[in-house]
Amino acid sequence: MQLPLPKFSIILLLLFLSLQVSAQDFQGQAIYQTKTSMDMSGWGGDQMSEQRKKQIADRMKSMLEKTYVLNFNRSESTYKEEEKLAAPGSNNSRWGGMMSSFTGGPQYKNVKEFLILQEQEFFGKQFLVKDSLSSLDWKLGSETKQIGQYTCFKATTIKPVDDMDFMSMRRRNRGNDEKKEGEEKADSTKKESDDPFDELEVPKFVVVTAWYTPQIPVSTGPGEYHGLPGLILEVTADKTVMLCTKIVMNPQEREAIDRPEKGDIVTREEYNQIMKDKIAEMREMYGGRGGRRN
């Protein structure tokens, strides 16, 4: 029997609303393994004992190799480090606590609002770093590769680097400072800088290569990366690689994707200045103890 038009219209409306709810309720979870390589050459590595090298490598490994969880829907996502229990007898809690002040905390992105929020604890104080998502000028390529069960396409861009990006810091190239044979040598009594950051530099830009899959039609990815027609499953940027190792679509137990609100709201530029001021304060404090000469 044919339904009366009013009742049939109600059924169509309910069906349409249920489809809308289903689309809005879409959610996924992606696990990323990240690894950052660090070149120890030029840092006195040749003069270190093998035992000392191993100690440094063990300490750095927990910072340079991490697992992150990305929970996402069509417009929002959270990206945070997977929680791990400290190993019994571990003595690296102080080291880890100090380094966490210089590396990123839990992150929230909204690609519709072009908003990024990052929770950050710095020497016991809670901040909420708020900024607009950067617009990345992606160049889409035709090259493909398989990551798990997903066909991925290659995209590249050039990204400006934050001047306090610890993972991109490197020893400054002093090659251009060396005098050529026959030229006057520099005064050997000249005082070297007391600032260890004078020996470090951060590149202004890095080339980023990403692999995204249109099979998951969301414009997001790990960290601050976004803006491609599909979920980004792999990123190579400077010395860091982020690789997706697992994807669960519409998991039964879903993580809440909440916009963070706790902490003093600052911009990235303001937060970087806070870090620089604290570093200068620590240098002054420890320098004074060491009886630094003027």
Side-chain angles (χ1 to χ4, degrees):
M1 182 180 69
Q2 188 175 5
L3 293 172
L5 185 58
K7 192 170 184 179
F8 182 65
S9 299
I10 292 173
I11 293 174
L12 282 178
L13 178 62
L14 290 175
L15 179 60
F16 175 75
L17 291 175
S18 69
L19 289 173
Q20 273 201 321
V21 170
S22 176
Q24 292 171 354
D25 203 32
F26 161 89
Q27 187 168 326
Q29 183 180 86
I31 310 298
Y32 291 84
Q33 299 288 339
T34 73
K35 185 172 183 178
T36 302
S37 59
M38 181 164 286
D39 184 6
M40 294 293 291
S41 62
W43 293 85
D46 294 339
Q47 287 74 40
M48 291 182 189
S49 67
E50 291 302 319
Q51 182 179 2
R52 180 60 177 161
K53 287 181 183 180
K54 186 177 186 305
Q55 288 175 343
I56 293 176
D58 289 344
R59 282 187 172 186
M60 298 294 284
K61 184 175 181 180
S62 62
M63 182 181 64
L64 300 177
E65 298 180 13
K66 294 178 178 289
T67 302
Y68 286 88
V69 180
L70 176 72
N71 288 290
F72 59 90
N73 57 33
R74 296 193 184 277
S75 60
E76 298 173 289
S77 65
T78 57
Y79 184 71
K80 58 185 178 180
E81 185 178 353
E82 185 179 62
E83 295 182 2
K84 294 181 180 178
L85 295 175
S90 172
N91 295 320
N92 290 337
S93 57
R94 181 180 297 179
W95 167 268
M98 181 182 70
M99 293 315 302
S100 66
S101 295
F102 294 92
T103 55
Q107 189 182 82
Y108 166 89
K109 287 202 306 281
N110 189 312
V111 295
K112 280 189 176 180
E113 299 179 14
F114 275 83
L115 172 70
I116 184 167
L117 298 168
Q118 185 165 321
E119 300 175 64
Q120 192 69 58
E121 184 178 345
F122 187 63
F123 284 87
K125 189 171 182 179
Q126 192 70 32
F127 294 92
L128 186 60
V129 183
K130 179 179 180 181
D131 266 316
S132 297
L133 276 173
S134 58
S135 296
L136 298 173
D137 184 19
W138 292 105
K139 307 298 183 187
L140 305 185
S142 58
E143 186 178 347
T144 65
K145 75 173 181 178
Q146 202 75 9
I147 298 180
Q149 63 182 9
Y150 298 96
T151 299
C152 297
F153 291 82
K154 184 178 181 179
T156 57
T157 190
I158 296 177
K159 181 176 80 76
V161 181
D162 189 285
D163 64 353
M164 290 299 288
D165 183 352
F166 178 81
M167 293 302 184
S168 291
M169 286 184 180
R170 61 197 67 189
R171 187 173 176 82
R172 191 180 300 278
N173 183 3
R174 296 295 187 182
N176 294 331
D177 297 336
E178 295 178 359
K179 295 288 184 179
K180 295 180 181 179
E181 188 176 354
E183 292 183 357
E184 183 181 356
K185 293 184 178 179
D187 183 358
S188 60
T189 62
K190 184 179 180 181
K191 182 182 175 184
E192 293 183 359
S193 171
D194 291 317
D195 188 352
F197 280 84
D198 284 347
E199 295 295 315
L200 301 176
E201 65 180 359
V202 176
K204 297 294 184 183
F205 299 90
V206 294
V207 175
V208 178
T209 300
W211 295 88
Y212 67 95
T213 177
Q215 292 173 255
I216 304 177
V218 294
S219 184
T220 193
E224 73 270 30
Y225 296 103
H226 70 287
L228 287 170
L231 180 65
I232 301 172
L233 299 191
E234 182 178 333
V235 173
T236 300
D238 195 25
K239 299 176 293 182
T240 298
V241 177
M242 308 173 177
L243 176 62
C244 181
T245 58
K246 182 180 179 181
I247 296 176
V248 180
M249 299 305 298
N250 295 315
Q252 290 185 349
E253 296 184 8
R254 302 185 179 188
E255 290 281 341
I257 301 178
D258 296 326
R259 186 179 304 214
E261 298 178 349
K262 295 182 180 179
D264 292 349
I265 298 177
V266 293
T267 64
R268 174 59 59 184
E269 185 178 354
E270 290 170 338
Y271 183 72
N272 285 354
Q273 190 59 52
I274 290 169
M275 286 199 291
K276 290 174 183 177
D277 292 343
K278 185 63 177 180
I279 290 168
E281 177 188 325
M282 292 172 66
R283 278 178 40 229
E284 187 66 30
M285 180 174 62
Y286 289 114
R289 289 179 181 177
R292 185 172 59 188
R293 292 177 297 175
N294 295 321

